[in-house]
Amino acid sequence: GGYFIVNGTEKVILVQEQLSKNRVIVEVDPKKEIVQASVTSSSNERKSKSYIILKKGKLYLKHNVLSDDVPIVILLKAMGVHSDKEMLLLVAGVDEVYQEDFAVNFEEAIKQNVYTQQQALDWIGSKIKINRARQGGSYKRTHIQEAIEAISSVIISHVEVTNMNFRPKAIYVAHMARRVLMAKHDPGMVDDRDYVGNKRLELAGQLMALLFE
């Protein structure tokens, strides 16, 4: 921190300790029996936090833009991963233990009658919390358009989507899911929030700029 006099006014700079941005952190909530991987995405446009959580043996995406948690299989289908086998390998690799853990997630898509990318986008779009009144006029976006915008620029926003290519983001989601499955079996894979490598020290940028004017 620091103490300064600027134009006769006392100014104090406080250093804030924050978890690193754009870094996956794996945690366990013993009370709720939930394992989760979270990432605070920070880009020029926005900052938001996304979670991949394991509850009752199944994986879901959790984000404050969504009214309900989204089954990971539906999310990956929306991102263009069509084949169940490809999805299984993307998340679990060739490890039979992880494959068995992940296989139960396919039931969620079947329950919701979601089999294609368009159906997945429409399903996710129906779960997005928006103020429909602000759209006004005769033009209103469809569920599919809303889902595309949310997946492209809101959910895990630091991973860019260009020309509707969701592949890099799908790989990132699969990586988060794999970290969760690993932590389920090995407590040593859970991150320590207090570890200095998972933190950053943030200064008051506007005040620093003022001091150096």
Side-chain angles (χ1 to χ4, degrees):
Y3 177 83
F4 303 88
I5 303 296
V6 181
N7 295 331
T9 304
E10 298 177 355
K11 300 291 184 180
V12 177
I13 294 178
L14 298 178
V15 178
Q16 292 186 332
E17 195 175 69
Q18 303 284 351
L19 282 176
S20 296
K21 305 296 190 296
N22 305 335
R23 184 186 183 100
V24 178
I25 304 293
V26 179
E27 301 171 284
V28 176
D29 186 335
K31 293 182 179 180
K32 297 181 180 179
E33 297 182 350
I34 290 177
V35 184
Q36 66 180 31
S38 63
V39 58
T40 300
S41 298
S42 181
S43 62
N44 293 332
E45 289 76 24
R46 59 171 48 87
K47 181 166 66 175
S48 67
K49 194 166 188 176
S50 307
Y51 301 83
I52 296 295
I53 64 174
L54 179 69
K55 60 179 182 179
K56 297 182 179 179
K58 296 177 181 177
L59 292 161
Y60 300 86
L61 166 74
K62 181 178 180 180
H63 194 283
N64 61 11
V65 78
L66 299 165
S67 60
D68 292 311
D69 298 339
V70 174
I72 192 170
V73 169
I74 295 179
L75 176 65
L76 290 174
K77 282 183 181 292
M79 291 179 172
V81 184
H82 304 291
S83 164
D84 289 351
K85 182 177 180 181
E86 181 186 7
M87 201 178 295
L88 184 69
L89 292 174
L90 200 60
V91 174
V94 296
D95 190 298
E96 293 183 358
V97 174
Y98 297 148
Q99 286 186 350
E100 185 176 347
D101 284 343
F102 185 76
V104 297
N105 289 281
F106 293 117
E107 299 173 2
E108 293 298 297
I110 296 172
K111 287 180 182 178
Q112 302 298 333
N113 293 318
V114 174
Y115 302 99
T116 67
Q117 183 178 19
Q118 293 296 304
Q119 289 173 336
L121 288 168
D122 187 64
W123 192 91
I124 292 174
S126 69
K127 305 299 179 183
I128 293 176
K129 295 185 291 186
I130 60 171
N131 182 6
R132 297 184 185 278
R134 65 180 170 82
Q135 291 183 357
S138 59
Y139 172 74
K140 291 185 179 180
R141 291 184 298 182
T142 65
H143 285 164
I144 291 177
Q145 290 170 327
E146 289 166 358
I148 290 173
E149 180 178 348
I151 295 173
S152 299
S153 58
V154 179
I155 297 167
I156 312 180
S157 58
H158 70 284
V159 180
E160 294 184 4
V161 172
T162 56
N163 298 323
M164 290 292 291
N165 179 18
F166 294 108
R167 186 70 180 184
K169 191 164 289 195
I171 293 173
Y172 196 93
V173 167
H175 167 69
M176 293 178 69
R178 177 67 176 265
R179 291 277 306 273
V180 170
L181 295 180
M182 292 170 70
K184 173 187 174 183
H185 293 280
D186 181 3
M189 300 303 296
V190 176
D191 290 306
D192 182 0
R193 290 174 65 93
D194 295 325
Y195 171 56
V196 68
N198 290 329
K199 294 183 176 182
R200 293 293 183 270
L201 300 178
E202 296 184 353
L203 297 173
Q206 291 183 342
L207 180 54
M208 290 296 291
L210 174 63
L211 292 174
F212 288 101
E213 283 183 354

